[in-house]
Amino acid sequence: MIEIVALTVIGIVLAALLFFVRFQLINQRIRKILMGAKEGKTLPHTHEWELYHNEQAPSQRIRACLAELPIAYKSHEVRIATDIKNSVSTDFMTGLSKFQVPLLLHNGRAIYNSRRQISYLVAQHERGAKLLPTTDEETTRLEYWLNKLSGRDENDYSLAGSASGNELFTIALPVMGAFLEHLKATLLVKIFVLNPFFRKPLSTPVLRALNTLSILENPVLTEAFETAKEIIEDQLDEAERSLKTHGGPWVIGTTFSQIDIEMMVLLYRLKQVTMLDDLLQSGRPNLAIYWDRLVLRPSYTIALVDHTRLDTKAATEKILATRATNPAFDELFRVNH
């Protein structure tokens, strides 16, 4: 009896070890694919560089990087109301391991996550050096800022303040609420069924029944929004100090780097949420000048402005109108420090 139990335990342990080893090997292979290693399935493609993207911040980052270098690419814009079956080939859909944008293809090889994509472009493309530091001081500053960037899945739609909280997603909730308020329920169902790229965000609990005033009426959302404001204001204060210390013109010095792409996307999102002017005028003079420089770069127009939907612009106007008539709502958008 004891021998049978011992053999059973040994069998379970061996099975667990085999599962663990197999799991590690699979994870290792996935990481290599994501980082652009030669292993992995090649997806259908016609150009050296192709990008599947939408209007959200991760797509804005990689578009800005491609525009800065600059690198020509075939664009596949995944719009929220698009019937994907009529705009993306069946072969391509079959080859996808997950429906997530942005998706960058290099000779058909899939690379996910905008920050990995930028790192890949900087390392692989001959023009990538344009975004790299030119002095030891700039290198130190770049490493510092890169360490501050979160390594989480950028498609994690969690509220700020939670374990995997996403402050950029949280701060944009009023825009999403104003946008969703005008979408009919039947259209949302159609989007969910026909567009797999939007199933994850649309199935996120926080987006259910979201409207313009949800951020004020739901205590959980109000607290998360305030937390996101604090996190973002700390980031802006850090950038202000950095610009003041070394005199700019960019966050790490004279080199326009990946960090400036991050800041461009963040500040543009704050502009859409109608918070940017207030933030820049609250004791951040160097950041205000920095923003003026950012909007003059061609990448700002190419990667952000040109891809902003009319519905999103209407959502921004809706927020402004609501702030003008609702003092409590307006107060939520005011800076904390």
Side-chain angles (χ1 to χ4, degrees):
M1 182 65 180
I2 295 176
E3 293 176 350
I4 295 174
V5 172
L7 288 172
T8 302
V9 171
I10 292 171
I12 293 173
V13 171
L14 288 173
L17 285 172
L18 286 172
F19 175 82
F20 177 77
V21 171
R22 184 172 181 273
F23 179 80
Q24 289 294 99
L25 289 173
I26 292 173
N27 267 357
Q28 200 172 55
R29 185 168 181 270
I30 290 174
R31 282 195 296 271
K32 286 181 179 178
I33 294 172
L34 292 180
M35 292 303 292
K38 293 182 180 179
E39 294 87 350
K41 183 184 291 186
T42 299
L43 297 174
H45 63 286
T46 57
H47 293 64
E48 179 183 4
W49 298 98
E50 299 192 23
L51 180 67
Y52 289 78
H53 55 107
N54 59 16
E55 194 190 353
Q56 298 306 308
S59 292
Q60 291 174 340
R61 289 191 197 107
I62 185 60
R63 283 199 303 263
C65 179
L66 288 163
E68 283 289 340
L69 289 179
I71 296 173
Y73 64 95
K74 183 177 181 180
S75 172
H76 304 272
E77 194 155 5
V78 182
R79 295 184 175 274
I80 192 168
T82 298
D83 180 351
I84 293 298
K85 291 181 180 178
N86 293 328
S87 59
V88 179
S89 73
T90 303
D91 289 342
F92 181 85
M93 296 281 282
T94 303
L96 281 178
S97 59
K98 54 183 176 180
F99 295 101
Q100 178 178 310
V101 288
L103 166 60
L104 179 68
L105 300 184
H106 184 208
N107 292 322
R109 189 165 62 238
I111 309 163
Y112 291 97
N113 189 295
S114 65
R115 287 166 180 148
R116 290 195 188 103
Q117 292 165 355
I118 292 173
S119 297
Y120 181 84
L121 286 170
V122 170
Q124 296 288 328
H125 201 279
E126 59 184 5
R127 300 195 192 108
K130 287 181 64 176
L131 297 177
L132 291 176
T134 56
T135 67
D136 292 340
E137 290 80 5
E138 287 190 349
T139 299
T140 300
R141 294 181 196 128
L142 178 62
E143 290 174 353
Y144 171 78
W145 279 95
L146 288 176
N147 287 333
K148 288 174 67 69
L149 298 179
S150 173
R152 66 171 176 270
D153 179 359
E154 59 189 12
N155 283 271
D156 184 351
Y157 302 98
S158 301
L159 294 175
S162 61
S164 60
N166 188 333
E167 65 275 4
L168 206 55
F169 165 71
T170 305
I171 207 70
L173 287 177
V175 173
M176 296 179 195
F179 175 74
L180 292 173
E181 198 171 307
H182 294 285
L183 285 183
K184 295 180 180 179
T186 51
L187 179 57
L188 284 173
V189 172
K190 178 182 177 182
I191 293 168
F192 189 87
V193 172
L194 298 180
N195 194 332
F197 290 94
F198 283 92
R199 284 176 193 159
K200 183 175 180 179
L202 288 178
S203 63
T204 302
V206 71
L207 294 183
R208 294 172 189 166
L210 186 71
N211 59 53
T212 308
L213 288 174
S214 293
I215 201 72
L216 175 65
E217 298 169 341
N218 186 325
V220 174
L221 297 185
T222 302
E223 183 178 354
F225 190 76
E226 291 285 3
T227 301
K229 278 170 56 180
E230 285 288 343
I231 294 171
I232 288 171
E233 286 195 63
D234 286 342
Q235 293 172 356
L236 298 185
D237 288 340
E238 184 106 42
E240 171 69 23
R241 287 191 294 270
S242 181
L243 290 165
K244 181 179 179 180
T245 300
H246 63 66
W250 308 114
V251 172
I252 68 168
T254 60
T255 302
F256 185 95
S257 72
Q258 177 180 344
I259 308 306
D260 299 296
I261 291 174
E262 294 277 346
M263 291 301 298
M264 180 189 288
V265 171
L266 170 60
L267 295 174
Y268 187 66
R269 178 53 53 87
L270 293 171
K271 182 176 185 292
Q272 291 179 317
V273 190
T274 74
M275 293 174 63
L276 182 60
D277 289 344
D278 196 17
L279 285 163
L280 294 181
Q281 293 166 11
S282 300
R284 300 178 176 99
N286 293 286
L287 199 64
I289 295 171
Y290 171 75
W291 170 245
D292 289 339
R293 292 193 190 104
L294 283 176
V295 300
L296 292 176
R297 296 187 76 85
S299 61
Y300 171 78
T301 302
I302 294 169
L304 281 68
V305 177
D306 287 351
H307 291 273
T308 300
R309 295 190 303 263
L310 292 177
D311 290 338
T312 301
K313 294 177 181 177
T316 297
E317 292 300 319
K318 172 74 172 180
I319 292 171
L320 282 171
T322 307
R323 290 185 65 177
T325 57
N326 189 323
F329 184 77
D330 178 65
E331 184 60 31
L332 276 175
F333 292 79
R334 297 292 177 183
V335 299
N336 293 329
H337 54 81

